[in-house]
Amino acid sequence: QKEVEQNSGPLSVPEGAIASLNCTYSDRGSQSFFWYRQYSGKSPELIMFIYSNGDKEDGRFTAQLNKASQYVSLLIRDSQPSDSATYLCAVRQDNAGNMLTFGGGTRLMVKP
Amino acid sequence: KAGVTQTPRYLIKTRGQQVTLSCSPISGHRSVSWYQQTPGQGLQFLFEYFSETQRNKGNFPGRFSGRQFSNSRSEMNVSTLELGDSALYLCASSTWTDGVSTEAFFGQGTRLTVV
């Protein structure tokens, strides 16, 4: 069974701090990695994607991928209360169309 | 550019009934995927359609089916509803670039309650 694992949290960080969210996956055939943010009662919103080993930065967000360790992370710098949400990690194999396998999500709480 | 549109937003059905949900993808997107989200199981892949053909199918019973039309709009149908089918049903659309699927964007979802 292809699995994506995330710590369910809640992860609590003070406003202005760096939030670090982690995700591991079991299928070595996974090639594409996505981070979605989901507010309570809303649908997932794509915030980052990464396809190659290393870091990818977009504003306050940095995605990090290490395929050898089967590990992908999301860093949120200068965390804001509005970042409080559940963050979902998703992985996709090449040649799998757009079939995503999701982790259970990490609930992030940013305290003012 | 309009996003992914799902209708209806909310549905209440009785056990044993059937239901049809609709999804209009982002203009120009030809791939539509469906997911079920429940508190216990999280987000689970149902199926994906591309150019009116089912490309992938998740591990759900045959009561769950879908189709895609020539304008890329998609519908999913659940027959003989069970209480456990109560969930948020999400549709995601994407396109293809250089033979690779792009990122998927989700619609607002349809909240189905089976009573």
Side-chain angles (χ1 to χ4, degrees):
Chain A
Q1 171 132 5
K2 301 168 186 174
E3 292 184 346
V4 179
E5 300 286 343
Q6 295 181 255
N7 188 316
S8 61
L11 172 65
S12 182
V13 301
E15 183 175 356
I18 295 175
S20 178
L21 306 163
N22 305 315
C23 172
T24 59
Y25 59 96
S26 63
D27 185 3
R28 286 196 173 272
S30 301
Q31 296 293 330
S32 306
F33 306 86
F34 306 87
W35 284 99
Y36 287 86
R37 177 176 64 197
Q38 187 173 28
Y39 293 112
S40 180
K42 302 294 185 183
S43 64
E45 173 192 9
L46 179 67
I47 54 172
M48 287 289 288
F49 56 91
I50 185 166
Y51 302 147
S52 304
N53 275 329
D55 294 1
K56 179 182 178 182
E57 186 175 318
D58 184 2
R60 296 187 296 113
F61 300 98
T62 299
Q64 300 175 316
L65 175 61
N66 183 324
K67 289 185 179 180
S69 299
Q70 296 177 246
Y71 176 94
V72 58
S73 65
L74 178 70
L75 300 178
I76 305 175
R77 289 180 298 280
D78 188 24
S79 295
Q80 302 296 309
S82 59
D83 294 326
S84 298
T86 296
Y87 289 79
L88 298 161
C89 171
V91 305
R92 185 182 74 195
Q93 286 186 305
D94 265 357
N95 301 317
N98 222 329
M99 182 172 67
L100 300 175
T101 302
F102 281 86
T106 298
R107 185 170 154 230
L108 172 67
M109 296 173 59
V110 181
K111 298 192 171 181
Chain B
K1 197 174 190 181
V4 181
T5 303
Q6 291 188 245
T7 57
R9 292 293 309 279
Y10 303 93
L11 265 180
I12 299 176
K13 289 287 189 178
T14 304
R15 268 182 303 174
Q17 287 186 314
Q18 74 165 15
V19 67
T20 299
L21 312 181
S22 178
C23 172
S24 293
I26 293 170
S27 178
H29 285 195
R30 296 167 61 193
S31 170
V32 173
S33 303
W34 289 89
Y35 294 82
Q36 181 196 66
Q37 187 174 32
T38 60
Q41 298 298 318
L43 256 166
Q44 293 186 290
F45 174 80
L46 281 156
F47 28 67
E48 179 192 8
Y49 286 87
F50 178 79
S51 292
E52 303 178 64
T53 301
Q54 187 179 86
R55 284 182 51 96
N56 293 292
K57 188 176 190 307
N59 189 25
F60 278 81
R63 299 186 296 107
F64 292 82
S65 63
R67 59 177 175 168
Q68 186 180 33
F69 302 95
S70 58
N71 62 356
S72 296
R73 189 178 71 85
S74 177
E75 290 181 346
M76 70 162 280
N77 184 276
V78 188
S79 63
T80 318
L81 284 165
E82 301 176 359
L83 294 179
D85 297 333
S86 295
L88 179 65
Y89 289 88
L90 292 158
C91 164
S93 83
S94 62
T95 188
W96 288 74
T97 302
D98 297 328
V100 179
S101 183
T102 63
E103 306 75 53
F105 297 90
F106 283 88
Q108 319 97 306
T110 294
R111 173 76 61 183
L112 172 65
T113 302
V114 182
V115 297

